[in-house]
Amino acid sequence: MKQEYKDLLHKYLQKYKELGIADQIDYEKFYLYSIITHSTAIEGSTVTEVEAQLLFDEGITSSKRTMVEQMMNLDLKAAYEYGMTWIKQHKPITTDWLISLSAKVMEHTGGEYHSLGGDFDASKGELRKLNVTAGFGGKSYMHYQKVPIKLQAFCEELNKRRKSIDTTDVAAIYDLSFWAHFELVTIHPWADGNGRTCRLLMNLLQMEYGVLPTKVLKEDKAEYIQALIDTREAEDINIFLDCMANLHCNHLKNDIDQYILSISDEVDRKGGQKAKKVDRKSGQETRDAIISLISANQNITTTQMAESLGINRSAISKHLKLMQTKGIIRRIGPDKGGHWEVLV
């Protein structure tokens, strides 16, 4: 990647460390949930981060989303958990392991294919036996018969690079992960789930060396896809490396800015400061989440809501009062022994 992105990466990662953002309660969990939600969103899922959190933590499904969309998110979460455990062992990455990773990604949404090249099952991570194109009318990926040998060569090169990488060079770690993403998605080993699996591998390589995983937000989709196209056409990997580095830097800066804005410092009588707990959701997202919780359990308490959503109880109370004022919900009966009712 360009030197300017290397400098920005070091700058923002250092700021991250100084602010202690990653040390916040449940930060890693919510960061991972965000990665998962946006990765599936790029592939068409409309599940929101709040809905994903309720699905993952409470098992609460959304009536607004299809089961396929929700299973995409559950499968990808299981794939990340599987991959995160495995990558810590620093074992060689093989074709068989990539197949097992894809099988996790596609477990409940993949199906059987019957093609001229033969039968295969996407839910088992089996390599495609048909030719595919990059979207409707797009260029064709490599012939399916070339996939096994190309995948083996990719694994050999990736393992070679993993062994020789300078683990103190943060930029080199990101470059390796971005390179692996591009190479794997260019091979396009599977009939479906390539994007999710390639972004998963990219994140796992980043986790292996202890750097903050890269998010590709749904808002980044056009720029991200165009970078993949431009890189292939120009045969210049630096196009993709720079695009991904730029996106990561932008997201780091945004996270830092949001964190700083969310902190409300109170100067006490001794001149010290106290920082309020960070609420990582917008007000509307929090209220939507509260409605979902009440819909699932009318007897839920403010304490239970706070624990479920990872924000403090006083913030929950403020949202409840506002929602009652606006006629969105109402309380039936006393604080103890009563229940909530959704009015809209």
Side-chain angles (χ1 to χ4, degrees):
M1 70 178 73
K2 293 178 182 176
Q3 187 61 47
E4 63 181 282
Y5 295 131
K6 292 181 182 180
D7 294 339
L8 285 174
L9 268 175
H10 286 289
K11 173 185 173 182
Y12 292 138
L13 290 171
Q14 181 61 34
K15 191 67 174 177
Y16 237 78
K17 183 177 180 180
E18 291 173 358
L19 291 171
I21 297 177
D23 297 328
Q24 296 298 308
I25 297 173
D26 287 336
Y27 176 81
E28 287 188 6
K29 179 176 80 170
F30 290 124
Y31 193 88
L32 178 61
Y33 287 4
S34 181
I35 287 176
I36 293 168
T37 307
H38 282 279
S39 188
T40 58
I42 289 173
E43 308 304 328
S45 169
T46 59
V47 173
T48 67
E49 288 189 48
V50 171
E51 289 168 341
Q53 182 187 336
L54 293 172
L55 180 64
F56 297 158
D57 292 347
E58 308 290 337
I60 298 174
T61 57
S62 171
S63 60
K64 300 177 183 178
R65 316 300 169 198
T66 66
M67 284 307 299
V68 171
E69 291 176 296
Q70 295 179 82
M71 290 311 303
M72 280 175 65
N73 282 271
L74 285 170
D75 280 350
L76 191 54
K77 177 176 180 286
Y80 266 91
E81 291 170 345
Y82 165 76
M84 288 162 63
T85 299
W86 188 91
I87 202 69
K88 293 176 182 178
Q89 302 173 44
H90 305 290
K91 294 181 179 179
I93 290 174
T94 64
T95 295
D96 286 342
W97 182 76
L98 289 174
I99 287 173
S100 69
L101 194 66
S102 177
K104 295 289 184 181
V105 173
M106 299 299 299
E107 184 173 1
H108 295 99
T109 59
E112 295 182 355
Y113 287 77
H114 305 286
S115 67
L116 293 176
D119 299 339
F120 63 97
D121 191 341
S123 69
K124 295 179 180 178
E126 294 176 353
L127 304 181
R128 61 182 170 91
K129 295 181 180 178
L130 48 73
N131 293 324
V132 293
T133 59
F136 181 75
K139 290 186 176 181
S140 297
Y141 288 101
M142 68 177 60
H143 196 281
Y144 74 87
Q145 291 179 333
K146 296 181 179 179
V147 168
I149 192 168
K150 289 289 186 180
L151 201 54
Q152 181 180 346
F154 163 74
C155 290
E156 290 173 357
E157 179 61 24
L158 175 56
N159 291 325
K160 179 181 176 182
R161 294 188 182 209
R162 288 169 71 209
K163 287 181 179 179
S164 62
I165 194 169
D166 178 358
T167 57
T168 65
D169 187 343
V170 173
I173 293 170
Y174 281 111
D175 273 348
L176 171 65
S177 67
F178 299 154
W179 170 85
H181 175 307
F182 177 79
E183 290 296 318
L184 186 59
V185 82
T186 298
I187 296 171
H188 229 70
W190 302 283
D192 194 9
N194 289 277
R196 277 165 282 167
T197 305
C198 292
R199 290 187 291 274
L200 169 55
L201 176 63
M202 172 184 72
N203 289 149
L204 292 178
L205 290 169
Q206 293 162 353
M207 293 173 185
E208 180 176 24
Y209 300 108
V211 300
L212 192 69
T214 300
K215 292 182 185 180
V216 182
L217 305 183
K218 60 183 179 182
E219 294 83 4
D220 302 327
K221 183 175 180 178
E223 182 179 353
Y224 164 70
I225 297 297
Q226 191 61 51
L228 287 169
I229 295 171
D230 292 345
T231 302
R232 289 192 197 102
E233 292 182 349
E235 297 184 353
D236 182 1
I237 188 62
N238 290 305
I239 295 173
F240 189 66
L241 298 184
D242 289 344
C243 173
M244 294 303 293
N246 182 48
L247 288 177
H248 193 46
C249 287
N250 288 340
H251 298 328
L252 287 172
K253 183 179 184 301
N254 183 66
D255 284 352
I256 291 168
D257 291 344
Q258 290 295 320
Y259 179 81
I260 292 173
L261 284 173
S262 67
I263 296 176
S264 176
D265 290 331
E266 298 176 356
V267 180
D268 62 21
R269 280 180 264 180
K270 295 182 180 180
Q273 292 184 328
K274 297 179 181 179
K276 289 171 63 178
K277 184 176 179 181
V278 178
D279 182 353
R280 296 176 184 83
K281 306 177 187 66
S282 70
Q284 187 57 52
E285 284 182 320
T286 301
R287 290 190 284 278
D288 288 344
I290 289 172
I291 290 173
S292 296
L293 289 172
I294 292 174
S295 298
N297 178 13
Q298 290 186 319
N299 298 312
I300 192 169
T301 66
T302 55
T303 299
Q304 290 170 329
M305 291 181 194
E307 291 176 350
S308 177
L309 300 182
I311 59 180
N312 59 52
R313 190 168 172 269
S314 62
I316 291 290
S317 297
K318 289 178 182 178
H319 283 295
L320 290 172
K321 288 179 181 178
L322 178 60
M323 293 166 73
Q324 289 178 83
T325 301
K326 291 185 175 182
I328 299 172
I329 60 172
R330 68 179 175 184
R331 181 72 184 177
I332 306 297
D335 290 341
K336 291 185 179 180
H339 66 273
W340 295 100
E341 219 174 65
V342 178
L343 302 177
V344 294

